[in-house]
Amino acid sequence: MAGAYDRCVIRIREPHPWPSTEPEAEAIQEQLRSLVRTDTAPAEVRTAAGLDVDYREESDELVAAVTVLDVASLSVVDTAVVTGKAEFPYVPGLFAFREAPPLLRALEKLSAAPDVLVCDGQGLAHPRRFGLACHLGILTDIPSIGVGKTAMGRYEPPGEERGAWSPLRMDDDIVGRALRTQRGVKPVFVSVGHRYTLEAACDLVLRLAPRYRLPETTRTADHLARRQT
């Protein structure tokens, strides 16, 4: 199925040294966050990659899964899975240092090139404005967005209708949106990762979530990861 799409040649930016301590990790986030671009978005998005990491119970063993979807049909056109062990501790705000290395290895295994990365996590909605979606976007230079299940920041509940939204704020900054993808269900929390605008990110999430709360990119990647455990 991947043959009908652009061949995937993901070039990973020369990675920084992967840290072993919290101060080292925070310093990397502070260093890289100035590279994030939020003033542009792809002119056309044909394919979107969902990224998810599943952990085995009471273990550091993990499964990183990537699914690539045709945005028009929402059919899966490519997948990749990497198993391994987390090499960084569980620390709020530093999830990227647990999840980015296996996700990058999974992205390198793809055959169909994604036009955008849709991360199960945060982008700018992060204490240092550099969540997983920003980190992966910078290292791959692929447009990226974050779609979180829980809020990182404060917000007022958006209207009940599909497509309603309200600003997501941290400190004095608007870092994303609480977006209602379906009437009568909790919103998701959309933030820019890299090379995207917030408006375009929300439009894409609505396209990817025609029936359920979560976008199909997240749902398919989650299902793929769980099947491996």
Side-chain angles (χ1 to χ4, degrees):
M1 297 176 68
Y5 298 87
D6 296 337
R7 181 174 175 79
C8 187
V9 183
I10 293 179
R11 295 181 175 86
I12 308 300
R13 174 191 175 96
E14 184 176 345
H16 48 72
W18 291 101
S20 57
T21 68
E22 292 180 37
E24 290 173 350
E26 291 174 0
I28 290 169
Q29 291 177 332
E30 295 285 357
Q31 175 188 357
L32 294 182
R33 70 178 182 175
S34 63
L35 301 178
V36 171
R37 293 180 57 193
T38 64
D39 59 348
T40 185
E44 181 183 19
V45 177
R46 296 174 57 216
T47 56
L51 300 92
D52 189 51
V53 176
D54 189 67
Y55 295 90
R56 292 180 175 163
E57 238 178 281
E58 300 180 359
S59 168
D60 281 337
E61 293 184 359
L62 56 78
V63 178
V66 178
T67 54
V68 180
L69 274 62
D70 178 291
V71 172
S73 66
L74 298 183
S75 59
V76 176
V77 299
D78 198 11
T79 63
V81 172
V82 166
T83 59
K85 184 171 287 191
E87 298 179 1
F88 195 85
Y90 179 90
V91 181
L94 299 177
F95 293 148
F97 296 97
R98 284 173 70 85
E99 301 195 347
L103 286 172
L104 290 169
R105 292 197 295 272
L107 286 167
E108 289 179 312
K109 293 174 64 175
L110 292 174
S111 299
D115 295 320
V116 58
L117 307 180
V118 182
C119 299
D120 178 26
Q122 313 296 339
L124 293 177
H126 180 274
R128 284 170 293 281
R129 308 301 185 265
F130 199 76
L132 175 65
C134 299
H135 211 137
L136 290 175
I138 291 297
L139 291 183
T140 63
D141 201 33
I142 298 174
S144 60
I145 65 175
V147 184
K149 302 182 186 75
T150 57
M152 182 79 77
R154 65 187 190 280
Y155 68 100
E156 296 294 329
E160 288 297 321
E161 68 275 12
R162 171 176 157 84
W165 61 269
S166 60
L168 181 65
R169 302 176 186 272
M170 296 187 76
D171 304 320
D172 295 325
D173 298 332
I174 294 177
V175 294
R177 289 180 182 176
L179 176 67
R180 191 86 67 185
T181 54
Q182 301 296 327
R183 177 179 288 276
V185 301
K186 295 178 181 179
V188 296
F189 303 94
V190 181
S191 57
V192 172
H194 180 50
R195 294 178 58 196
Y196 237 93
T197 65
L198 185 53
E199 185 75 30
C202 289
D203 288 346
L204 178 63
V205 171
L206 288 173
R207 291 175 65 190
L208 294 171
R211 293 189 296 168
Y212 300 103
R213 177 192 178 215
L214 297 177
E216 289 301 305
T217 39
T218 299
R219 284 167 47 80
T220 54
D222 175 75
H223 293 166
L224 177 62
R226 290 176 184 272
R227 287 203 303 268
Q228 313 301 314
T229 57

